[in-house]
Amino acid sequence: MKLTTNQFVRIFAGAFVLISLALGVEASPLFVNANFLWFTVFVGANLFQSGFTGLCPLENILRKVGVKDSY
């Protein structure tokens, strides 16, 4: 199964959110520093704006390396 740009964006966003929460929340056994939560903010803000504008930097990078769009 070949993944599309849309699927890659969802996978990357989900992974970044989970990793930043694991590293940024004090209750986590992987806690490093609360500043890692800024990655969660960045991912959320980027997903939010791309929903309105259609502009997603990761999607552009994936297209350049040859990943196919879902349509």
Side-chain angles (χ1 to χ4, degrees):
M1 175 176 108
K2 291 210 173 199
L3 297 177
T4 63
T5 55
N6 189 31
Q7 291 168 312
F8 268 113
V9 168
R10 290 173 186 238
I11 290 167
F12 272 79
F16 265 91
V17 167
L18 291 173
I19 291 167
S20 65
L21 287 173
L23 297 174
V25 174
E26 289 186 35
S28 169
L30 302 175
F31 175 75
V32 175
N33 188 312
N35 286 324
F36 276 100
L37 296 176
W38 286 106
F39 281 119
T40 305
V41 172
F42 171 75
V43 170
N46 192 17
L47 288 170
F48 184 76
Q49 70 79 27
S50 71
F52 289 105
T53 66
L55 177 69
C56 178
L58 177 58
E59 213 171 82
N60 294 336
I61 292 168
L62 291 170
R63 283 188 192 120
K64 287 182 182 177
V65 297
V67 178
K68 301 290 183 201
D69 284 325
S70 56
Y71 47 86

